[in-house]
């Protein structure tokens, strides 16, 4: 089983939203050293303490300033890369600081925008950043617990998009639902584009032409296996 690391783009004001209030002061508790995040750029979160001199091999949960320069982020990200770990990223649009350019931050740095990169909101209750409220109560949940909570519906997303894609293709309805499901599968399943192209190159209808039916069955079997492997990786 691969190790899971989580990178969270945030800032001192926004992440404080989910911390408990201190009494009788009536002010929000904060992660220790959070005031250094903007200047430092990247810090490891261990329990409730942010560490400037993190260990890229052993640390698993990182907070990253949402105004970090893409070149600095690239150096950090590449220091984590390993065949033995999967890296998940949570980011937000950061409208208050002029916007977050995710294309420059990720695609511009050669980072594939797949299911392991998720856009969230600090405010809005969309099932992402608010899980840091749970983390405050139980920091032992760590990166894996946060990933499990934030990405909990992903397995259903894969199955729903696969079902929509196949149903619309078979019924020859190339509508918005088909295009959205196709784009989701293309973005998140390695090899999907090539496998689907091979299937489409076979002439005929899967209803009446044996060669096309066999190609369809082969493609669908491959797609099911690819989705099952992703579900296994999420465990």
């Amino acid at each position: 089983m691969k190790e899971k690391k989580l990178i969270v783009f945030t800032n001192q004001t926004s992440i404080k939203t989910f911390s408990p209030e201190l009494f009788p002061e009536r002010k929000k508790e904060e992660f220790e050293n959070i005031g250094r995040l903007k200047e430092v750029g990247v810090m490891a979160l261990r329990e409730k303490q942010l560490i400037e001199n993190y260990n890229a091999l052993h640390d698993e949960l990182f907070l990253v300033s949402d105004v970090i320069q893409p070149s600095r982020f690239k150096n950090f990200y590449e220091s984590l890369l390993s065949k033995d770990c999967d890296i998940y990223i949570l980011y937000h649009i950061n409208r208050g600081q002029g916007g977050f350019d995710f294309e420059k931050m990720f695609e511009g740095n050669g980072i594939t925008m797949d299911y392991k990169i998720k856009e969230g909101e600090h405010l809005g209750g969309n099932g992402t950043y608010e899980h840091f409220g749970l983390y405050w109560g139980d920091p032992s949940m760590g990166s894996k617990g946060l990933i499990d909570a934030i990405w909990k519906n992903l397995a259903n997303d894969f199955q729903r998009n696969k079902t929509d894609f196949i149903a619309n293709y078979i019924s020859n309805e190339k509508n918005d639902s088909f295009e959205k499901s196709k784009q989701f599968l293309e973005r998140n399943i390695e090899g999907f584009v090539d496998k689907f192209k091979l299937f489409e190159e076979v002439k005929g209808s899967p209803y009446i032409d044996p060669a096309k039916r066999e190609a369809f069955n082969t493609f669908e079997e491959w797609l099911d296996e690819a989705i099952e492997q992703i579900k296994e990786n999420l465990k």
Side-chain angles (χ1 to χ4, degrees):
M1 190 70 67
K2 286 187 175 182
E3 176 189 21
K4 293 180 179 180
K5 294 183 185 289
L6 175 60
I7 298 169
V8 179
F9 284 87
T10 189
N11 57 71
Q12 182 177 5
T13 301
S14 296
I15 201 66
K16 187 167 61 174
T17 305
F18 310 107
S19 62
E21 282 189 341
L22 295 170
F23 293 94
E25 296 93 335
R26 301 291 299 181
K27 65 179 182 180
K28 287 282 190 176
E29 191 174 354
E30 293 192 86
F31 291 124
E32 186 177 345
N33 301 322
I34 185 68
R36 295 274 297 151
L37 181 62
K38 184 175 181 180
E39 179 182 350
V40 174
V42 177
M43 302 179 83
L45 182 57
R46 301 177 191 165
E47 297 286 329
K48 297 178 182 179
Q49 182 182 29
L50 284 162
I51 307 298
E52 185 172 340
N53 296 316
Y54 58 83
N55 186 310
L57 179 62
H58 296 296
D59 281 311
E60 299 179 352
L61 177 56
F62 300 88
L63 298 191
V64 176
S65 169
D66 48 22
V67 293
I68 193 173
Q69 290 298 310
S71 58
R72 289 185 66 192
F73 177 71
K74 179 181 181 180
N75 291 335
F76 158 68
Y77 181 85
E78 291 180 346
S79 74
L80 302 183
L81 291 177
S82 166
K83 61 181 178 62
D84 297 320
C85 82
D86 285 326
I87 301 174
Y88 290 74
I89 300 175
L90 176 65
Y91 73 96
H92 68 123
I93 296 301
N94 193 21
R95 294 179 178 87
Q97 296 291 334
F100 182 90
D101 191 340
F102 64 87
E103 291 183 346
K104 183 180 293 185
M105 192 69 70
F106 304 134
E107 294 177 347
N109 281 328
I111 301 171
T112 302
M113 291 282 291
D114 62 11
Y115 67 90
K116 293 189 288 294
I117 299 180
K118 190 176 185 71
E119 180 186 321
E121 295 178 7
H122 285 92
L123 302 175
N126 70 338
T128 55
Y129 282 86
E130 65 257 36
H131 289 294
F132 272 91
L134 297 176
Y135 181 90
W136 271 100
D138 181 18
S140 66
M141 69 187 297
S143 62
K144 186 180 185 306
L146 283 168
I147 291 168
D148 289 345
I150 296 168
W151 275 263
K152 66 180 178 180
N153 294 321
L154 186 59
N156 293 334
D157 290 343
F158 272 100
Q159 200 60 49
R160 184 183 69 255
N161 278 281
K162 181 257 183 179
T163 300
D164 288 349
F165 174 78
I166 293 296
N168 283 301
Y169 184 88
I170 291 297
S171 60
N172 201 30
E173 294 184 20
K174 304 297 176 64
N175 51 25
D176 287 344
S177 177
F178 173 80
E179 290 301 327
K180 287 179 180 178
S181 60
K182 181 170 178 282
Q183 289 171 11
F184 177 90
L185 297 171
E186 287 175 341
R187 184 173 66 250
N188 292 298
I189 300 181
E190 185 177 356
F192 177 88
V193 173
D194 292 336
K195 292 291 184 180
F196 184 59
K197 182 179 179 182
L198 286 174
F199 162 65
E200 289 237 282
E201 287 175 350
V202 180
K203 304 299 182 183
S205 166
Y207 286 115
I208 59 177
D209 297 293
K212 187 69 171 181
R213 179 181 295 276
E214 182 180 355
F216 172 78
N217 291 338
T218 299
F219 170 71
E220 187 172 28
E221 181 178 334
W222 172 85
L223 184 56
D224 285 336
E225 290 176 356
I227 291 174
E228 285 304 313
Q229 183 59 58
I230 290 172
K231 289 180 180 179
E232 187 66 26
N233 293 341
L234 289 170
K235 293 181 180 178

